[in-house]
Structure formats: C-alpha cells, structure tokens
C-alpha cells in the first residue's frame, strides 16, 4: 500500500492506494468519529462491493442508500434521496457518509455531507479509474444544472480516500478509457516525466497491468494533491487541473449528460486546448500528433463527429465556472508538460478550433 498525505493544515487527510484495501477495516474505522455510518452507492456498484464494505463496519450503526447510476442523475433531486435516508434513519451531526462508487456518487455524497446539519464527516471509496485519479481527491463536490455542469456545489474535504485498484476488475472498458483521460491530463499539464511514462507504457496500462496502474494512480493523486495543497479553493494554480474541461463541459452540456462520458468529453477538450495552443504558436504539429496518439491508444474520442454546431458549443462554453466577467478562461499549453491559465487569446483562433471540431 502507498500512502499520500494531502496537506491542508487541520483539514489534511491520507490517500491510501493499493490492492486488497477493502479487506482492511482499520483504514475506514480510524476516520469515523461517531457510531452512525451512511453508505451511499449506486445500483451498479452496490451488488459488487456494498456487502464487503458493510462487513468492515460491524461495530457501527450502518444504513445505506442506492442512487440511480449515471451522470444524468447528478442532480439536486438525487441528492435529496441521501437527505431522505439520513433523516429517516435519524442520523445526527456526528455521523459519517461513505461514498462507494465513481465520481458521480462521490460528488453527490460530498455535497450532501457538506450540507447535512451544516457539515458531517465523509469518506471516499472510489471504484472507477476516473474517480480514483481525480474526483475523489481535492474536495470538489456538487451537482449539475440543466444549464451548466457542476454549477451547484461546495469545496468540502473528505476524512480519507481509500483507493483499492482491485475494484477496477469490474469496470468496463469504456469507463476505464474515460479514466485514462484524466490520467493523461496530469502528464500534459505539469509533469512531462509522467507523460513519457504514459507514452512508454500505454499498451500495458490498457491491458490493466496492476503494478503500472498503481504507479499511474499514485502519480496522478500526488500531482493533484500538490496543487490542491497550494490552492484549495481554486483562486489560482488549481485552475490548471481544468485542462480540457471548459471545452469538455460544453460537450457534456450540449449533447446531454451521459451521452459522452466525462472522460470522453475531456479527451476531446484536451485536444481542442492543444490545437488552440498550436494556433497561438506554442505547440508544434508533432506535439499535437503525440497528444492525439496517446488519446487514441487509450481508446478515447478525438472529435464530436458533427453532433454540435459551433454556435451551440460557444454558447455552452459561456456557462462555465471558469468564465470571469464575461471572459472565458482557458487552460492552454506552453509545451507538453507545462500548462497556463489564459483569457488573453485571439477570439478568432478559438472560433477556428470550435469550427474545426464541430
């Protein structure tokens, strides 16, 4: 087992990464303050891991709520199901919520924990690659709105994150590829050595070599933890973690949540950001080819196949948390492994990229 510490003073917490961690009760028990535990999962994950997690908590009063599975259910109405279960079971402010599932479950559970009785403890047990390398770490929680993704939420840190890579054994190939998009993001935005590692090992990673997966998950979490520790509330450097996300969120919002998986949308978004960076004179055609090759070898999409008009796309981009005073802030690349934040780009270049991809 590898252990990372996300350093946030009194809000610091460990991230446990390894195999067989869902057999180690102490990893959870050491971070549960009271006697009441609500496990929040979904209808896909519950048959696989719910009983295993419950068996670790025999000394607690444990209840559960199973949410419908899918990005389209990441709404306030679904979060209300968590509140209903907490209230029906008379859970008090000493309770702990455990998010058992992917990023949607984790985001909604964290948001519920931040709001229930003005804040209770929660633990992340991410079961998808995307949630293991990204959404479970850093304390971003929330839900989608029909007009914009993740527009309602809170920064709220978990007590710990338990990443058992054995849960990836039950993850389908499409979801696994979607998670690889976020892994690739870390190499592109700030860790060229990690990018080289991914380029050299992508075939074995796609064949799910466990040792390589643990290395990739650990490095992704380490890179994110380092950035979050410097900028918890995204007032500066943390925005770099949104590489490809303003483009990607526009895809999800315009097509409808769930048509493209989040990682699939981010794949296209990262390539759009790279293309814009090329138009600005920073990336070479050869570097664009490197990015596209890595995405394609991860079985990720590189276009939206004409499903969205350019005007729809730009309109959706304007409804995003990264829009400041009407300007769309984008994360662009000075070179592979070096990202920066910009709203000082030529708008006709942005229009050209959107037109090309649409």
């Amino acid at each position: 087992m590898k252990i990372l510490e996300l350093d946030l003073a009194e809000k610091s917490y460990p991230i446990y990464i390894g195999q067989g961690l869902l057999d180690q009760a102490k990893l959870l028990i050491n971070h549960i303050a009271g006697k009441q535990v609500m496990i929040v999962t979904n209808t896909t994950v519950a048959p696989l891991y719910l009983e295993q997690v419950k068996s670790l908590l025999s000394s607690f009063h444990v209840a559960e709520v199973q949410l419908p599975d899918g990005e389209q259910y990441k709404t306030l109405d679904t979060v209300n199901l968590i509140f209903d279960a907490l209230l029906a079971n008379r859970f008090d402010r000493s309770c702990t919520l455990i998010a058992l599932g992917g990023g949607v479950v984790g985001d909604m559970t964290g948001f519920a924990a931040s709001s229930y009785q003005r804040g209770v403890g929660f633990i992340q047990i991410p079961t998808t690659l995307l949630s293991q390398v990204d959404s479970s770490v850093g304390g971003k929680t929330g839900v989608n709105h029909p007009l914009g993704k993740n527009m309602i939420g809170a920064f709220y840190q978990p007590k710990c994150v338990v990443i058992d890579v054995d849960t990836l054994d039950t993850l389908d190939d499409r979801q696994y590829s979607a998670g690889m998009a976020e892994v690739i993001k870390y190499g592109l935005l700030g860790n060229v050595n990690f990018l080289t590692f991914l380029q050299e090992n992508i075939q074995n990673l796609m064949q799910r070599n466990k040792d390589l997966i643990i290395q990739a998950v650990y490095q992704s979490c380490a890179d994110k933890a380092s950035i979050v520790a410097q900028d918890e509330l995204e007032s500066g450097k943390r925005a770099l973690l949104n590489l490809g996300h303003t483009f990607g969120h526009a895809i999800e919002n315009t097509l409808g949540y769930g048509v493209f998986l989040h990682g699939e949308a981010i794949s296209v978004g990262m390539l759009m950001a790279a293309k814009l960076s090329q138009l600005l004179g920073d990336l070479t055609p050869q570097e664009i080819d490197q990015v596209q090759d890595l995405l394609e070898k991860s079985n990720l999409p590189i276009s939206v196949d004409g499903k969205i008009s350019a005007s729809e796309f730009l309109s959706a981009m304007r409804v995003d948390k990264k829009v400041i005073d009407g300007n769309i802030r984008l994360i662009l690349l000075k070179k592979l492994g070096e990202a920066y934040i910009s709203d000082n780009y030529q708008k006709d270049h942005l229009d050209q990229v959107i037109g090309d991809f649409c």
Side-chain angles (χ1 to χ4, degrees):
M1 180 173 67
K2 295 176 179 288
I3 304 175
L4 275 168
E5 185 79 11
L6 204 163
D7 184 6
L8 290 170
E10 72 278 0
K11 291 185 287 184
S12 299
Y13 56 91
I15 304 164
Y16 305 108
I17 303 167
Q19 293 182 258
L21 303 193
L22 291 192
D23 295 324
Q24 299 187 37
K26 65 179 181 179
L27 298 183
L28 299 179
I29 292 172
N30 289 345
H31 301 282
I32 298 173
K35 298 300 292 182
Q36 297 173 317
V37 177
M38 176 68 68
I39 302 175
V40 183
T41 186
N42 66 29
T43 52
T44 300
V45 176
L48 301 171
Y49 301 112
L50 178 58
E51 291 305 316
Q52 185 175 0
V53 173
K54 286 172 70 173
S55 71
L56 305 178
L57 303 168
S58 57
S59 60
F60 296 87
H61 169 50
V62 180
E64 67 191 65
V65 57
Q66 296 185 32
L67 308 177
D69 184 15
E71 182 81 26
Q72 65 270 34
Y73 298 110
K74 190 179 170 183
T75 65
L76 288 172
D77 285 343
T78 306
V79 171
N80 253 330
L81 298 177
I82 304 174
F83 293 138
D84 289 346
L86 289 165
L87 291 165
N89 285 276
R90 299 181 180 178
F91 272 38
D92 59 35
R93 66 190 317 170
S94 70
C95 72
T96 296
L97 277 61
I98 295 179
L100 175 64
V104 172
V105 168
D107 282 6
M108 289 195 290
T109 304
F111 184 45
S114 76
S115 304
Y116 186 66
Q117 300 202 26
R118 298 188 176 90
V120 298
F122 90 108
I123 291 170
Q124 291 269 21
I125 305 179
T127 60
T128 66
L129 182 58
L130 190 146
S131 59
Q132 289 178 357
V133 301
D134 192 66
S135 61
S136 67
V137 175
K140 277 190 176 181
T141 73
V143 296
N144 300 330
H145 185 278
L147 295 179
K149 184 178 172 70
N150 291 330
M151 295 300 286
I152 303 165
F155 288 97
Y156 196 68
Q157 302 296 338
K159 299 300 182 183
C160 73
V161 182
V162 179
I163 299 175
D164 187 338
V165 299
D166 287 340
T167 60
L168 301 180
D169 292 343
T170 54
L171 190 67
D172 67 49
D173 289 341
R174 185 184 176 195
Q175 290 279 357
Y176 184 83
S177 289
M180 282 302 303
E182 293 283 4
V183 175
I184 292 167
K185 177 189 77 176
Y186 291 106
L188 292 176
L189 72 86
N191 191 335
V192 71
N193 291 332
F194 186 43
L195 184 63
T196 300
F197 165 83
L198 294 174
Q199 291 170 325
E200 292 174 349
N201 293 284
I202 190 60
Q203 290 182 324
N204 287 328
L205 279 166
M206 294 310 295
Q207 292 170 2
R208 308 202 191 195
N209 177 293
K210 284 285 177 66
D211 290 336
L212 291 175
I213 288 173
I214 289 174
Q215 288 185 59
V217 171
Y218 179 87
Q219 190 60 60
S220 298
C221 290
D223 288 349
K224 181 166 189 177
S226 174
I227 292 174
V228 172
Q230 299 173 61
D231 179 23
E232 180 188 1
L233 303 182
E234 200 173 298
S235 58
K237 186 174 183 179
R238 182 168 179 170
L240 295 175
L241 295 169
N242 293 311
L243 175 64
H245 281 58
T246 301
F247 292 111
H249 288 171
I251 294 170
E252 292 180 273
N253 179 245
T254 305
L255 291 181
Y257 298 120
V259 176
F260 266 43
L261 297 178
H262 176 67
E264 293 172 334
I266 298 312
S267 171
V268 178
M270 289 190 297
L271 190 56
M272 294 180 78
K275 289 274 192 176
L276 180 54
S277 299
Q278 180 190 5
L279 290 178
L280 297 176
D282 291 324
L283 294 189
T284 66
Q286 291 75 24
E287 288 174 315
I288 297 296
D289 289 342
Q290 287 182 56
V291 176
Q292 183 168 322
D293 180 66
L294 191 53
L295 295 172
E296 290 184 310
K297 285 178 177 175
S298 301
N299 300 321
L300 286 162
I302 56 171
S303 75
V304 293
D305 295 325
K307 296 184 175 73
I308 307 172
S309 72
S311 60
E312 286 179 306
F313 200 109
L314 186 58
S315 178
M317 285 183 71
R318 294 192 181 281
V319 185
D320 190 274
K321 299 187 298 301
K322 276 76 74 182
V323 174
I324 305 294
D325 295 329
N327 294 319
I328 302 173
R329 283 194 311 166
L330 295 173
I331 313 305
L332 302 175
L333 297 168
K334 279 290 181 189
K335 58 184 179 181
L336 299 187
E338 184 181 330
Y340 68 101
I341 305 165
S342 177
D343 60 6
N344 187 29
Y345 47 83
Q346 291 179 245
K347 301 302 186 287
D348 58 336
H349 285 159
L350 176 61
D351 291 342
Q352 181 179 336
V353 169
I354 293 174
D356 288 346
F357 275 79
C358 289

